Amino acid sequence: MIQTLLVANRGEIACRIIRTCRELGIRTVAVRSDADENVLHARVADTAVRLPGVAPAETYLRGDLIVKAALAAGADAVHPGYGFLSENPDFARAVLDAGLIWIGPPPEAIEAMASKTHAKDLLGIAPLTDVTEADLPVLVKAAAGGGGRGMRIVRRMEELSPALKSARAEAASAFGDGEVFVERYLEHGRHVEVQVLADTHGTIWTLGTRDCSLQRRHQKVIEEAPAPGISEALTSDMLALAVQAVCAVAYEGAGTVEFLVADGRAHFLEMNTRLQVEHPVTEAVFGIDLVAEQIRVAEGHALEKDPPRARGHAIEARLYAEDPAHDWAPQAGTLHHLAVPDGVRLDTGYTGGDPVGVHYDPMLAKVVAHAPTRAEALRKLAGALERAELRGPLTNRDLLVRSLRHEEFTSGRMDTGFYDRHLDELTESAPDPLAPLAAALADAHGRSRFGGWRNLPARPQVKRYELAGEEHEVRYRHTRTGLSAEGVRVVHADAHLVVVEVDGVERKFAVARHGDQVYVNSARLTALPRFPDPTAQHAPGSLLAPMPGTVVRVAEDLTEGATVQAGQGLIWLEAMKMQHQISAPVTGTLSALHAKAGQQVEPGMLLAVVQETSS
């Protein structure tokens, strides 16, 4: 029996595993990098071991250090979670060679399926080799790992070579393996997967389907179980192929077989030899704990002959610190507060006051709703996200709410191109026009300027805020009866709650302030100085760092004075395990170049200036 388990991961999955272990009476050991000092997963574990460094390659991808940590802490088992080393057969062997229990499939099974190209060979699926114009569009894909990293869509032949180069670099950074391959890209397919669970006694469970079609950067955003609108015949075909994949490699434990469904057919994509981020929707529908089942299988227990019955529908949304309206740019900063209403499940690796850094994936949490029907689950999850209390970096919360209510999604007609078609409408800025006023009234609470009687009315007070990229100026007055503002009646105002009446209807605003950031209901504002600083302005054509990160590459032979074309890639930043291209905004001359490979940058830092060519 396992007594002490080391979790070889971080964030929400580490917290998730620790919670299950606590319920089973198993002690836990966390590992954490220097960037993760005092984060939640290290605090909730029974003990923690430091991995010196901050980058994944020197911490969570160092299998030797993790095995050493397990032995030093007296652990007798290791759970890899997902990502990092979870699909690394050499790490699994190192764990077993150290005399520890491995919570996962045999190394040979991982090895067989870890390479997507080899997995296709096992199932008799030929890869695409020599790419021609007739094959386009194609998808360049990392042979190892997942999560959308090392993936590029190629629609023109001249894009193929750069896509291969950048995909190899990103895959090597994320997984330590730069191998990539090419397959045809199906424009309007749905991403559907099958959860499997197998014990050491020959029993195999197929736990229904999941739909993961809503994706950005080939990484899933919203997932649900069961996949809606899939025929019984097609479902049976996918379940049968999933069992075939399990049997082909003598698989044990939890895993996922993924398909792209298009034109009434299911095309095998890969088998993930680990838990998936979206596993909670399967847990909700089947009423099981997949982590607990993994541990029981590793201890040699047999599964029941048949899995539990599926009940209802579950939907999960991934809450990311990112800006969907600006190429999904990841955001960093302090997460001051995160809470969701009762009735939904929250999986997170953060709590109030934790930093959101640049070294790891920007996912803050997963929010899951379960209900008797799909429509009820959709409504429940959208409502919970809308009422969630979020104070910290910019997130994709509004995008998630709008996605869950979009007619194409609610009718089950979505595919993997959903955000390509609808991103603009889903990210249209529609801020509450009363939010800046509420922020100003909350800030003004208790600041009465009347030290004595005056026969002249108080001068209007002025405050400025930035909201959704626009500046808003607010004017209000202190009166004998309290605060007043044009167009509304102030019913109540204190530092945390403002109530105003507009046309006979009362509007309530919850307000919180952290530094110059003001949070009003779901809106995030920045308090601005009354008089702007003229030195903060940048020349036209300035390229500013959109996020904190590292300059990993500057275009070859790029020097000041060079002519550049609009849309030409100039600088590549790496942040939160993804590479982000910064392109020339116009055709013109590169009049300044400050960025250098290896340089650490902060948001707003000037990287380069492109002076537009006069027409």
Side-chain angles (χ1 to χ4, degrees), residues 315-319 337-347 365-371 375-391 395-402 404-405 521-522:
I315 303 181
E316 171 183 291
R318 302 189 192 187
L319 187 65
H337 183 67
L338 168 61
V340 298
D342 292 338
V344 295
R345 169 174 165 176
L346 176 69
D347 283 10
K366 303 180 307 193
V367 186
V368 186
H370 180 235
E376 290 173 290
L378 277 170
R379 183 176 64 189
K380 186 176 182 179
L381 182 56
L385 286 167
E386 191 171 48
R387 296 190 302 275
E389 298 174 12
L390 274 171
R391 302 200 294 269
T395 73
N396 66 337
R397 184 255 296 275
D398 290 345
L399 174 91
L400 295 174
V401 173
R402 293 172 183 174
L404 291 165
R405 291 172 174 166
N521 289 351
S522 64

Side-chain angles (χ1 to χ4, degrees), residues 226-257:
I230 303 295
S231 68
E232 289 187 15
L234 188 54
T235 298
S236 296
D237 289 344
M238 287 188 286
L239 298 184
L241 188 55
V243 172
Q244 181 184 340
V246 169
C247 293
V249 294
Y251 196 83
E252 299 168 5
T256 305
V257 182

